[in-house]
Amino acid sequence: MPTLILVPQGAEYQAVRRGLSSVSSSPPQVLTIPMGSAPVQQYLQVNFKLLAHVRENFILMMGLCGSLSGKYQVGDIVLYQNCLYQGNLQDCNHDFTANIYTRLGDHVSLVRGLTSDRIVCTAVEKHHLHQQYGADVVDMEAYSCLEFFRQFPDKQVAILRVVSDDSNHDIPNITSAISENGSLRPLPLAWEFIRQPQSARRLITGSLQGLKVLTAVTQLLFTPDPPDFRF
């Protein structure tokens, strides 16, 4: 099926591109989006005309996410059924989601996502959000995507992500390293890593593992006869 992939810029985009490198015929188009809820919303509005007229009717958002539940660990592949933001709930397209779930089989879990305006960095807050909203994972972009494409009835949206940090450990608070346009600022990022070396090491390790799985699941999803992956 003709699919447009939306993926955050940087390492996540590169991971998806690696997964598509072995797709020889009609690979899906990939668009990079900023990091963060507000930058994504602004990007989508600025590119309204482009996105309204793309030929693909299936929109797949891919990337990394954080776990809010002990059930989901680093490297787990999750497929959103719906997503929350500030008490509002948006559903992903049922048929498109079911198609992906069938394709990936035992490799993927169906979850409820939560979109946050900032990095959720402490285990205490992760557990609190899970209890408060019943959400399984958290990201910074998914809800904005679902909300935007509601105005196009012919566009079916699904969200597929890989867990890059678990719910039982803290990660560095790198919210200040994300610029207003949704890109990472190297110096503030490095400073937060220096201030919190142990949690930074955990974040880097988890991200690398998550990116590796993101590449593999992209290949599994879009290659006609993919190899037998061991995630």
Side-chain angles (χ1 to χ4, degrees), residues 4-68:
L4 172 66
I5 299 175
L6 302 181
V7 61
Q9 61 191 347
E12 291 164 275
Y13 170 75
Q14 296 299 331
V16 169
R17 293 301 308 180
R18 284 193 296 272
L20 294 174
S21 62
S22 60
V23 180
S24 56
S25 64
S26 302
Q29 182 182 359
V30 185
L31 289 182
T32 59
I33 59 174
M35 295 176 59
S37 179
V40 168
Q41 191 173 27
Q42 182 179 10
Y43 169 87
L44 294 172
Q45 292 298 336
V46 168
N47 292 279
F48 176 90
K49 291 184 179 179
L50 168 66
L51 294 166
H53 294 95
V54 295
R55 63 181 180 85
E56 295 89 352
N57 289 332
F58 298 93
I59 312 297
L60 178 60
M61 173 171 279
M62 302 184 72
L64 302 178
C65 63
S67 175
L68 300 178

Side-chain angles (χ1 to χ4, degrees), residues 97-114:
T97 299
N99 184 288
I100 296 171
Y101 185 78
T102 300
R103 173 72 172 165
L104 297 180
D106 295 337
H107 293 305
V108 68
S109 298
L110 293 170
V111 299
R112 167 171 287 186
L114 174 71

Side-chain angles (χ1 to χ4, degrees), residues 9 33-36 38-40 42-43 178-185:
Q9 61 191 347
I33 59 174
M35 295 176 59
V40 168
Q42 182 179 10
Y43 169 87
I178 302 174
S179 68
E180 291 184 359
N181 66 4
S183 60
L184 276 176
R185 300 189 295 169

Side-chain angles (χ1 to χ4, degrees), residues 157-177:
V157 182
I159 299 171
L160 182 67
R161 292 196 173 239
V162 178
V163 175
S164 60
D165 69 274
D166 64 35
S167 64
N168 294 320
H169 297 92
D170 296 350
I171 59 173
N173 186 357
I174 60 171
T175 301
S176 62

Side-chain angles (χ1 to χ4, degrees), residues 15-217:
V16 169
R17 293 301 308 180
R18 284 193 296 272
L20 294 174
S21 62
S22 60
V23 180
S24 56
S25 64
S26 302
Q29 182 182 359
V30 185
L31 289 182
T32 59
I33 59 174
M35 295 176 59
S37 179
V40 168
Q41 191 173 27
Q42 182 179 10
Y43 169 87
L44 294 172
Q45 292 298 336
V46 168
N47 292 279
F48 176 90
K49 291 184 179 179
L50 168 66
L51 294 166
H53 294 95
V54 295
R55 63 181 180 85
E56 295 89 352
N57 289 332
F58 298 93
I59 312 297
L60 178 60
M61 173 171 279
M62 302 184 72
L64 302 178
C65 63
S67 175
L68 300 178
S69 165
K71 185 177 179 181
Y72 303 102
Q73 302 299 315
V74 173
D76 286 349
I77 305 164
V78 295
L79 183 62
Y80 288 27
Q81 293 179 292
N82 47 46
C83 187
L84 281 160
Y85 175 68
Q86 295 183 349
N88 299 307
L89 182 69
Q90 288 284 350
D91 289 326
C92 298
N93 180 267
H94 178 270
D95 292 339
F96 188 24
T97 299
N99 184 288
I100 296 171
Y101 185 78
T102 300
R103 173 72 172 165
L104 297 180
D106 295 337
H107 293 305
V108 68
S109 298
L110 293 170
V111 299
R112 167 171 287 186
L114 174 71
T115 292
S116 173
D117 290 321
R118 56 185 176 78
I119 301 291
V120 178
C121 54
T122 69
V124 170
E125 186 177 12
K126 294 173 188 178
H127 292 155
H128 173 72
L129 290 173
H130 175 64
Q131 293 174 353
Q132 182 177 7
Y133 296 110
D136 303 296
V137 297
V138 62
D139 64 53
M140 298 179 68
E141 300 89 19
Y143 187 90
S144 295
C145 178
L146 290 170
E147 177 71 15
F148 175 80
F149 282 104
R150 279 184 64 196
Q151 60 195 306
F152 307 116
D154 60 325
K155 306 298 183 187
Q156 302 183 27
V157 182
I159 299 171
L160 182 67
R161 292 196 173 239
V162 178
V163 175
S164 60
D165 69 274
D166 64 35
S167 64
N168 294 320
H169 297 92
D170 296 350
I171 59 173
N173 186 357
I174 60 171
T175 301
S176 62
I178 302 174
S179 68
E180 291 184 359
N181 66 4
S183 60
L184 276 176
R185 300 189 295 169
L187 290 180
L189 180 66
W191 173 244
E192 292 299 334
F193 281 3
I194 291 170
R195 290 180 63 244
Q196 305 169 76
Q198 186 174 356
S199 58
R201 191 178 305 112
R202 184 178 297 113
L203 175 62
I204 292 169
T205 301
S207 296
L208 290 174
Q209 184 177 346
L211 291 168
K212 183 178 180 180
V213 175
L214 185 59
T215 294
V217 74

